[in-house]
């Protein structure tokens, strides 16, 4: 098992590798480069790292594609070397205010399309909380106010104690 703690920290770390990856594409060939100095080898004419602009500064949100691509590359890499990849995430409160209604919801604290991609590719998303008795619980009950739920029958629509043996059931036929 490998745990990413937290996915928003991974998102921050991937910003700069996504920037470099963009710079190595034909369209990013001038981004963060020393102008007028041709490169004899790739990367030779990069500005010093402390002078770089983030790929997220690209117009119209273009840079978020490169960030998403880098995060998903890391997730795929980690998934390939473990039995189960556990991704921890924080929730953020989202408020929608119209003239007639105010709606509050909690969703994964990730940017743009990445939260949907991660949610759709996950086998289970549990919402951890402390109940009225002061005990930690994980809810896999789908809700309109937070991202949660499970494709795994033993977790689907359940609220459980945070116990790995309850989450990672061994195949009973083995």
């Amino acid at each position: 098992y490998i745990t990413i703690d937290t996915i928003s920290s991974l998102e921050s770390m991937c910003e700069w590798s996504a920037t470099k990856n963009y710079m190595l594409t034909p369209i990013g060939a001038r981004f963060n480069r020393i102008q007028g100095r041709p490169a004899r080898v790739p990367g030779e004419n990069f500005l010093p790292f402390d002078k770089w602009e983030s790929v997220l500064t690209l117009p119209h949100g273009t840079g978020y594609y490169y960030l998403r691509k880098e995060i998903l590359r890391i997730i795929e890499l980690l998934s390939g070397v473990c039995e189960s990849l556990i991704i921890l995430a924080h929730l953020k409160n989202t408020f929608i205010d119209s003239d007639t209604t105010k709606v509050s919801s909690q969703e994964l604290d990730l940017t743009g399309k990445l939260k949907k991609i991660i949610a759709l590719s996950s086998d289970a998303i549990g919402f951890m909380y402390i109940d009225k008795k002061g005990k930690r619980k994980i809810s896999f009950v789908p809700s309109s106010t937070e991202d949660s739920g499970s494709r795994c029958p033993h977790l689907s629509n359940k609220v459980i104690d945070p116990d790995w043996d309850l989450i990672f059931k061994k195949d009973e036929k083995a």
Side-chain angles (χ1 to χ4, degrees):
Y1 301 96
I2 293 176
T3 302
I4 297 174
D5 184 6
T6 64
I7 189 71
S8 48
S9 294
L10 178 64
E11 186 176 36
S12 296
M13 289 186 274
C14 286
E15 181 178 344
W16 297 108
S17 54
T19 299
K20 183 177 179 200
N21 290 341
Y22 171 71
M23 292 163 58
L24 295 173
T25 66
I27 197 167
R30 292 185 170 185
F31 195 70
N32 290 325
R33 295 295 209 284
I34 299 169
Q35 298 305 314
R37 183 170 141 195
R40 291 182 297 275
V41 295
E44 184 182 51
N45 63 344
F46 288 174
L47 288 170
F49 183 72
D50 63 338
K51 304 268 193 266
W52 279 18
E53 282 187 65
S54 168
V55 72
L56 301 182
T57 63
L58 292 172
H60 311 294
T62 307
Y64 287 95
Y65 163 78
Y66 294 94
L67 178 62
R68 249 189 338 270
K69 187 175 170 183
E70 181 66 2
I71 292 167
L72 295 174
R73 184 186 74 79
I74 298 293
I75 288 172
E76 184 178 331
L77 179 74
L78 293 173
S79 294
V81 297
C82 65
E83 183 180 325
S84 293
L85 180 65
I86 302 160
I87 300 174
L88 302 179
H90 292 111
L91 294 177
K92 67 178 174 184
N93 290 319
T94 303
F95 298 98
I96 302 169
D97 190 4
S98 70
D99 293 337
T100 58
T101 307
K102 289 183 182 182
V103 177
S104 171
S105 71
Q106 292 183 316
E107 54 189 32
L108 295 176
D109 188 12
L110 293 169
T111 55
K113 296 176 185 175
L114 189 58
K115 68 182 137 211
K116 292 287 185 209
I117 293 168
I118 297 291
L120 290 172
S121 63
S122 298
D123 289 328
I125 298 177
F127 173 67
M128 184 177 274
Y129 65 97
I130 298 176
D131 70 8
K132 292 177 184 174
K133 296 178 183 176
K135 303 239 180 201
R136 287 190 181 134
K137 296 288 184 179
I138 302 176
S139 173
F140 293 96
V141 179
S143 165
S144 61
T145 59
E146 69 257 342
D147 294 321
S148 58
S150 177
R151 289 187 199 123
C152 307
H154 71 282
L155 296 174
S156 184
N157 294 306
K158 303 267 185 353
V159 177
I160 64 168
D161 293 327
D163 179 338
W164 291 120
D165 291 334
L166 296 174
I167 296 170
F168 293 102
K169 292 257 184 187
K170 296 295 179 196
D171 186 12
E172 283 139 21
K173 295 177 185 176

